[in-house]
């Protein structure tokens, strides 16, 4: 869905696509291009499978929260696409008001809780996660900044192709400073995000720690992917090694 908005879809296609997602009307997808229909078929099948698996436990209501998270993500992707098409340069704060959530991390946290089986989570937890509370916001902000700092050069190419400018470029334009200075300032902001994340994880809360810990896991994932460069978009030998170590190579037993 991200790639459709960044690379393949035109606004004339993306606006009705977003409308289908917002209404969750899979019949209406017939008006869309074939490649979008393939995506929506896969999305609908996946969510139906979730509902089927969870219904036996009386937890199928959780899927409604994930649908809302996907609707929010689609809406924000469309806003980015509109900014890119219009060559609009948002302010730094305006940019973050969209791109923090469009990082996908709030949706991923929600998806993690939908499938969590180890503990009995109450409806309060899902009401909490769907509002993108402080913990999720700063996890997503940290990851957004880390991604954009690691991807400065590639983002310039994307901007020439009509994508919205990155947080780094927004900050450069707003402050009238160099990219190097901007990255240093944003790294300081990332450190503040880390402090807030730690505080939110450690302080007493009615939300169980098992429901909050995925934020830390997602932050660690971002550290691995973006700590040197964007190894998500440009897989390095390091990232391939990480995946092989996790999923392919046998662990020696001594």
């Amino acid at each position: 869905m991200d790639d459709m908005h960044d690379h393949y879809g035109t606004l004339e296609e993306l606006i009705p696509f977003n409308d289908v997602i917002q209404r969750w009307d899979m019949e209406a997808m017939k008006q869309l291009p074939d490649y979008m229909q393939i995506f929506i078929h896969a999305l609908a099948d996946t969510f139906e499978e979730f509902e089927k698996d969870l219904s036996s436990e009386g937890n199928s209501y959780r899927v409604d929260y994930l649908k809302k998270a996907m609707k929010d993500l689609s809406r924000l992707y469309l806003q980015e696409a509109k900014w890119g098409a219009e060559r609009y340069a948002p302010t730094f704060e305006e940019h973050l008001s969209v791109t923090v959530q469009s990082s996908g991390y709030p949706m991923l946290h929600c998806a993690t809780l939908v499938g969590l089986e180890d503990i009995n989570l109450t409806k309060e937890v899902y009401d909490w996660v769907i509002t993108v509370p402080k913990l999720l916001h700063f996890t997503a902000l940290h990851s957004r900044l880390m991604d954009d700092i690691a991807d400065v050069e590639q983002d310039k190419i994307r901007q020439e192709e009509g994508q919205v400018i990155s947080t780094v470029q927004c900050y450069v334009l707003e402050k009238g400073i160099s990219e190097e200075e901007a990255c240093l300032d944003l790294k300081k902001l990332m450190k503040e995000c880390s402090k807030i994340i730690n505080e939110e994880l450690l302080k007493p809360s009615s939300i169980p720690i098992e429901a909050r810990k995925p934020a830390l896991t997602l932050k660690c994932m971002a550290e691995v992917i973006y700590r040197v460069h964007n190894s998500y978009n440009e897989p390095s030998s390091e990232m391939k090694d990480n995946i092989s170590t996790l999923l392919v190579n046998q662990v020696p037993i001594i």
Side-chain angles (χ1 to χ4, degrees):
M1 188 160 75
D2 189 13
D3 286 345
M4 274 194 287
H5 286 78
D6 284 349
H7 300 291
Y8 303 111
T10 64
L11 271 184
E12 290 73 18
E13 295 170 340
L14 293 169
I15 290 172
F17 170 85
N18 180 66
D19 184 56
V20 169
I21 297 294
Q22 296 305 319
R23 293 189 287 122
W24 211 260
D25 182 1
M26 301 312 168
E27 285 299 313
M29 71 177 176
K30 294 175 182 176
Q31 64 180 304
L32 301 174
D34 289 344
Y35 75 96
M36 288 183 168
Q37 292 190 40
I38 291 170
F39 171 83
I40 290 178
H41 266 302
L43 185 68
D45 288 348
T46 300
F47 273 75
E48 286 175 13
E49 186 177 343
F50 289 166
E51 289 176 333
K52 182 179 178 180
D53 289 346
L54 292 168
S55 61
S56 61
E57 308 162 9
N59 290 327
S60 59
Y61 73 91
R62 296 179 179 182
V63 180
D64 291 334
Y65 289 92
L66 188 54
K67 283 181 181 177
K68 183 181 185 310
M70 288 296 295
K71 290 176 183 181
D72 289 344
L73 192 58
S74 176
R75 175 176 52 80
L76 294 167
Y77 282 160
L78 179 60
Q79 181 60 65
E80 287 184 357
K82 287 179 178 178
W83 282 346
E86 296 165 1
R87 300 286 178 170
Y88 175 68
T91 65
F92 183 65
E93 289 302 320
E94 188 180 13
H95 195 288
L96 293 183
S97 71
V98 170
T99 58
V100 167
Q101 282 189 252
S102 72
S103 67
Y105 280 73
M107 184 277 293
L108 289 173
H109 194 125
C110 182
T112 300
L113 298 188
V114 166
L116 200 61
E117 297 177 346
D118 297 338
I119 59 172
N120 183 28
L121 299 180
T122 65
K123 190 173 181 293
E124 177 193 9
V125 170
Y126 297 96
D127 289 335
W128 169 81
V129 74
I130 204 63
T131 63
V132 189
K134 191 174 181 180
L135 172 62
L136 273 64
H137 173 82
F138 282 96
T139 302
L141 174 56
H142 180 278
S143 301
R144 165 55 64 197
L145 296 176
M146 196 168 198
D147 179 354
D148 287 0
I149 290 171
D151 226 12
V152 168
E153 294 304 318
Q154 192 63 32
D155 279 336
K156 292 178 184 177
I157 298 172
R158 296 190 187 112
Q159 289 156 29
E160 292 173 1
E161 294 172 350
Q163 293 186 40
V164 64
I165 64 175
S166 71
T167 52
V168 175
Q169 293 302 320
C170 276
Y171 198 83
V172 166
L173 291 173
E174 192 165 303
K175 300 295 183 180
I177 58 178
S178 67
E179 283 182 358
E180 292 76 15
E181 291 172 309
C183 288
L184 287 174
D185 283 354
L186 296 181
K187 285 178 181 178
K188 292 177 184 176
L189 180 55
M190 285 168 53
K191 288 183 179 179
E192 292 302 313
C193 289
S194 294
K195 291 179 183 177
I196 293 170
I197 292 166
N198 288 339
E199 289 170 359
E200 290 298 304
L201 287 169
L202 292 171
K203 74 179 186 181
S205 173
S206 61
I207 304 301
I209 188 63
E210 291 86 354
R212 289 179 282 150
K213 280 173 65 177
L216 182 60
T217 303
L218 289 167
K219 178 178 180 291
C220 290
M221 181 179 76
E223 295 276 359
V224 171
I225 295 172
Y226 302 118
R227 62 185 170 187
V228 178
H229 55 83
N230 188 339
S231 59
Y232 182 85
N233 286 340
E234 299 178 16
S236 63
S237 59
E238 177 190 19
M239 185 55 62
K240 291 178 182 178
D241 289 344
N242 289 341
I243 294 170
S244 296
T245 300
L246 181 66
L247 300 175
V248 180
N249 298 336
Q250 294 183 349
V251 177
I253 300 175
I254 301 175

